[in-house]
Amino acid sequence: QVQLVESGGGLVQAGESLRLSCAASGRYAMGWFRQAPAKEREFVAALGWTTGSTNYADSVKGRFTIGRDNAKNTIYLRMNSLKPEDTAVYYCARHRNPFYPGASPVERDYDRWGQGTQVTVSS
């Protein structure tokens, strides 16, 4: 059973930065999603592993960057200029299709999920 493990969450003040990491398995398209209290889980960013294409939610464009470290087989989410509304549990997810070339924002396209890491941004 594939396990994804996120790390890097924490408590920061508004305007500060965090970097989340996810130990992946294989060369799949990967995504980050988040879920705030009393809200549905939502798409944050995705990376097409074979193409390098990226996709971002409008709310994080220009502030967040998704990338990969091939040597460590991990993906990361660099989060700058954090806002209190970014507070959520962040999940790493792996696309269900090993040959999918794009960066899908669709949650049901992902079938492997990490346990989540908490990000809290204080004002």
Side-chain angles (χ1 to χ4, degrees), residues 9-119:
L11 171 64
V12 297
Q13 293 188 332
E16 294 184 340
S17 299
L18 276 176
R19 177 179 163 126
L20 306 183
S21 294
C22 174
S25 175
R27 300 171 65 84
Y28 285 72
M30 301 290 292
W32 287 98
F33 293 76
R34 67 186 181 187
Q35 187 167 22
K39 291 188 176 181
E40 297 288 322
R41 189 158 57 186
E42 64 176 6
F43 169 73
V44 176
L47 174 68
W49 196 280
T50 57
T51 62
S53 60
T54 58
N55 194 359
Y56 296 94
D58 288 344
S59 59
V60 307
K61 277 181 183 176
R63 300 188 298 122
F64 290 14
T65 303
I66 187 172
R68 66 192 186 201
D69 183 334
N70 290 333
K72 297 181 180 179
N73 198 26
T74 61
I75 64 165
Y76 62 83
L77 184 69
R78 177 68 178 175
M79 306 185 293
N80 294 330
S81 303
L82 282 162
K83 304 175 181 179
E85 50 264 44
D86 293 319
T87 295
V89 177
Y90 283 72
Y91 297 91
C92 168
R94 193 187 79 172
H95 199 278
R96 63 177 62 252
N97 184 348
F99 303 106
Y100 188 78
S104 173
V106 180
E107 185 174 334
R108 64 177 180 273
D109 285 350
Y110 298 83
D111 65 350
R112 294 289 185 269
W113 295 81
Q115 79 289 350
T117 186
Q118 177 71 47
V119 172

